[in-house]
Amino acid sequence: MVYSRYPSGIAWKHVILDVLPENIGRIIDGIPQDVAENLEEIRIREARPLIIHGRGKSYYLGPDGELCPSPEKAYYVNHSDIQSILQRVSNYSIYAVEEELRNGYITLKGGYRVGLAGKAVLEGGKIKTLKYISSFNIRICREIIGVADKVIRYIVSGGEVHHTLVLSPPQMGKTTLIRDIARQLSDGFPGFRGVKVGIVDERSEIAGCFQGVPQNNVGLQTDVLDACPKVEGIMMLIRSMSPAVIITDEIGKAEDVEAIEEALNAGIKIITTAHGSDIEEARRRPILSKILDKKIFQRIIVLGNSLGVGTVEKIYDGHTLNNLLDRPVR
Amino acid sequence: MAFIKILSSLMIVICCSFLGMQAANRYSLRVKELRLLRMAFAHLESEVINYANFLPEAVERAAVLLQGGVKEFFNDFSRRLQQRSGATAAEAWEKALRSWRSHLHITDEDAQILLSFGKVLGVSDRDSQQRYFQIIQSQLKSQEQKAEEACSKYRNMYRSLGVLGGLALAIILL
């Protein structure tokens, strides 16, 4: 957890301003309070205006952090800004973040992620590293404690955790939801004693580990395999950490199915996510439809934004495919 | 009167010898500092290549084994990185080097080698960092050899020059 002198809504400033050069830091610090509190992304691209996103809107930023309606008056990012940011986000140590560059993002303290884009350097057909990095996407994730309250009683019934799949389009709060599910299953809640939870955090998004320590609250009994490929990670957890529940993000590859079946055979409950706006859409993807046909998952939660980002649109019973919700909740 | 003359001549000889010693010492101190720097880079190399430690901590650890001006220079560099006062590592390196240059006995040529190494420190992947470390160490090694040669050549010369010059001056003034 990051302690800072800023109020909780803009706790990100503590970490983010540290990786920005002085001039851009000043601009970001000057963003009006209400926008800063709901900031989601800071987009920094070489020779293009500084842009921020929040609450579904985007704004150009002027030289003093003022919001500009058009790009003409915005601050244009230059080459030395980009170089400085690259050095700062890597802690002046490109050699220490080679793996992160290959994956295209670096995780900062507090679990904030910086996405990078540039020119890929290939070796034997695989990405070796990135060079000429020219775009940064600083994502300000917010853990929302209690966001899983409305779904947790569908996931746990009679002291038993159900295999659960969360389906959602991008940026609808999938990861935020399973993070809080992890916390609640691990810590327990009235009527449910906590269980051991293992997280395979391939993209370092769920727990937001910094040097191995989760920066988000993922529960007292939770072990995190950070930046670990899903299939190997699930196997490792089964062998070594004896979890009751394994939580992982974004399944969709053929080998993911095998790993999940392996976990099922070991009597471990699986909670995972996939891209998709509904079951019908998910069925059109071969791997997902295979998983759905096998009726592995007992609960399928669909997220959307009919009542705003993070709305729980439907919760299906995985066997009967009946919707257990009367209407969407948020 | 004679007593004062003898005393002042003696002072002149002592002062000149001291100056000669100092000039001679510069040579041996340079050799010592270059050797320390080479050791520092060898240590930093292992911190960077083998342990992939972040540069600010790696430099701090490498500084532990050092002493004198070289240690202060490394500590200053690490401090600048930790405070993120420079836009880039190269800038922090250059500032640290400039502020400690006068406390070191290295030549402009040595300083130039250090300065250009600062430009590549930390900015590339492990393989190329390793190459840079090898280059700087072999450069420092050859500077060290030159310094040793210069040291054996000039150290005794400056020492004797100091004493003899002092004597000569005293005799002329007598």
Side-chain angles (χ1 to χ4, degrees):
Chain A
M1 243 67 20
V2 177
Y3 299 99
S4 88
R5 60 202 154 91
Y6 297 104
S8 64
I10 49 172
W12 55 268
K13 276 196 179 178
H14 185 75
V15 179
I16 306 293
L17 293 186
D18 211 31
V19 299
L20 296 174
E22 234 168 272
N23 54 341
I24 294 188
R26 218 173 28 243
I27 297 173
I28 299 295
D29 202 22
I31 299 173
Q33 179 88 11
D34 56 319
V35 180
E37 275 172 14
N38 295 289
L39 195 63
E40 283 158 19
E41 284 184 350
I42 302 170
R43 312 296 302 233
I44 300 168
R45 302 179 178 95
E46 187 168 338
R48 275 160 289 172
L50 196 57
I51 302 177
I52 54 171
H53 296 265
R55 270 201 207 135
K57 282 191 204 144
S58 57
Y59 309 94
Y60 298 104
L61 285 185
D64 297 311
E66 72 273 21
L67 309 176
C68 303
S70 66
E72 284 86 43
K73 286 197 181 125
Y75 176 80
Y76 276 68
V77 180
N78 59 41
H79 185 68
S80 67
D81 292 336
I82 293 285
Q83 289 307 314
S84 176
I85 296 170
L86 179 60
Q87 289 226 344
R88 282 157 180 264
V89 293
S90 68
N91 204 354
Y92 303 103
S93 319
I94 300 292
Y95 58 84
V97 295
E98 280 178 55
E99 189 60 38
E100 283 89 341
L101 286 187
R102 243 194 306 280
N103 293 327
Y105 63 84
I106 294 174
T107 306
L108 304 177
K109 230 188 209 142
Y112 302 106
R113 279 181 35 167
V114 181
L116 312 152
K119 182 180 160 102
V121 180
L122 299 182
E123 194 177 73
K126 281 196 169 167
I127 295 175
K128 187 172 172 247
T129 185
L130 284 180
K131 64 175 180 180
Y132 306 136
I133 289 165
S134 66
S135 292
F136 296 94
N137 171 18
I138 303 177
R139 280 183 74 173
I140 293 153
C141 54
R142 288 193 175 73
E143 55 173 335
I144 307 176
I145 302 287
V147 73
D149 287 350
K150 53 196 180 281
V151 299
I152 200 80
R153 63 197 174 88
Y154 294 95
I155 298 174
V156 181
S157 59
E160 183 90 351
V161 181
H162 295 303
H163 298 294
T164 304
L165 175 69
V166 179
L167 278 179
S168 145
Q171 299 245 303
M172 285 301 152
K174 271 193 305 284
T175 309
T176 313
L177 182 68
I178 60 166
R179 183 186 300 133
D180 200 50
I181 291 174
R183 181 187 65 86
Q184 300 210 14
L185 292 180
S186 173
D187 290 354
F189 47 85
F192 178 72
R193 282 180 61 125
V195 292
K196 285 175 281 179
V197 176
I199 296 180
V200 185
D201 202 359
E202 191 167 2
R203 301 184 306 150
S204 306
E205 263 187 331
I206 306 175
C209 286
F210 179 76
Q211 296 181 355
V213 181
Q215 302 286 308
N216 293 318
N217 185 353
V218 288
L220 304 171
Q221 302 194 67
T222 303
D223 306 299
V224 182
L225 271 178
D226 185 36
C228 184
K230 260 188 290 293
V231 177
E232 283 98 321
I234 290 174
M235 299 301 183
M236 279 168 76
L237 282 179
I238 294 172
R239 275 199 297 269
S240 59
M241 303 309 282
S242 69
V245 179
I246 288 182
I247 294 184
T248 182
D249 216 354
E250 310 223 335
I251 53 159
K253 286 192 223 141
E255 59 262 34
D256 296 349
V257 183
E258 285 167 36
I260 286 173
E261 285 181 332
E262 197 70 36
L264 292 182
N265 293 336
I268 294 166
K269 304 295 178 182
I270 286 279
I271 295 176
T272 186
T273 70
H275 279 295
S277 55
D278 208 339
I279 290 191
E280 286 74 48
E281 199 207 312
R283 276 200 186 286
R284 267 177 249 141
R285 290 164 57 189
I287 306 293
L288 276 183
S289 83
K290 198 167 141 196
I291 295 174
L292 291 172
D293 287 341
K294 285 190 175 171
K295 296 204 187 289
I296 291 172
F297 291 103
Q298 296 157 300
R299 293 287 180 268
I300 297 166
I301 299 175
V302 181
L303 299 182
N305 69 342
S306 67
L307 302 174
V309 170
T311 307
V312 180
E313 304 281 355
K314 287 162 190 165
I315 298 178
Y316 292 103
D317 180 306
H319 292 285
T320 59
L321 291 185
N322 289 332
N323 186 2
L324 304 174
L325 280 185
D326 311 328
R327 54 191 166 78
V329 289
R330 180 162 188 261
Chain B
M1 199 61 191
F3 175 70
I4 292 174
K5 266 191 177 173
I6 291 171
L7 197 70
S8 52
S9 315
L10 212 61
M11 290 294 276
I12 288 171
V13 174
I14 291 172
C15 284
C16 287
S17 311
F18 182 73
L19 286 175
M21 290 286 243
Q22 276 230 312
N25 258 352
R26 282 194 66 85
Y27 286 94
S28 49
L29 281 173
R30 179 182 168 217
V31 174
K32 196 178 153 201
E33 279 168 7
L34 286 173
R35 204 167 288 155
L36 268 181
L37 279 167
R38 200 156 55 86
M39 196 174 89
F41 285 120
H43 194 173
L44 190 58
E45 178 180 358
S46 105
E47 288 288 333
V48 164
I49 308 298
N50 302 339
Y51 299 106
N53 281 328
F54 287 121
L55 198 56
E57 291 93 60
V59 174
E60 199 180 356
R61 281 168 186 239
V64 170
L65 296 182
L66 302 173
Q67 42 187 289
V70 179
K71 186 191 183 91
E72 295 303 327
F73 162 49
F74 266 61
N75 276 333
D76 187 27
F77 176 50
S78 166
R79 215 165 22 243
R80 280 172 198 272
L81 290 182
Q82 275 165 18
Q83 290 165 353
R84 296 177 181 276
S85 60
T88 59
E91 204 180 304
W93 176 263
E94 195 178 328
K95 279 186 188 157
L97 184 59
R98 288 206 192 291
S99 59
W100 287 97
R101 173 77 176 79
S102 58
H103 298 265
L104 298 171
H105 301 87
I106 53 175
T107 61
D108 287 342
E109 196 186 350
D110 304 334
Q112 202 52 49
I113 290 173
L114 291 179
L115 212 54
S116 54
F117 177 71
K119 292 197 170 64
V120 295
L121 182 57
V123 299
S124 56
D125 61 14
R126 241 186 273 187
D127 294 345
S128 63
Q129 285 291 302
Q130 185 152 33
R131 271 196 293 282
Y132 291 132
F133 273 110
Q134 279 158 5
I135 291 170
I136 177 91
Q137 284 175 67
S138 70
Q139 276 177 321
L140 286 178
K141 178 122 193 155
S142 78
Q143 290 301 102
E144 200 181 307
Q145 273 165 2
K146 279 191 217 165
E148 269 167 3
E149 279 165 26
C151 182
S152 59
K153 219 193 248 171
Y154 298 116
R155 191 172 55 182
N156 289 336
M157 189 191 86
Y158 273 105
R159 269 187 197 159
S160 346
L161 203 69
V163 179
L164 294 177
L167 281 175
L169 203 64
I171 290 165
I172 292 167
L173 290 179
L174 267 175

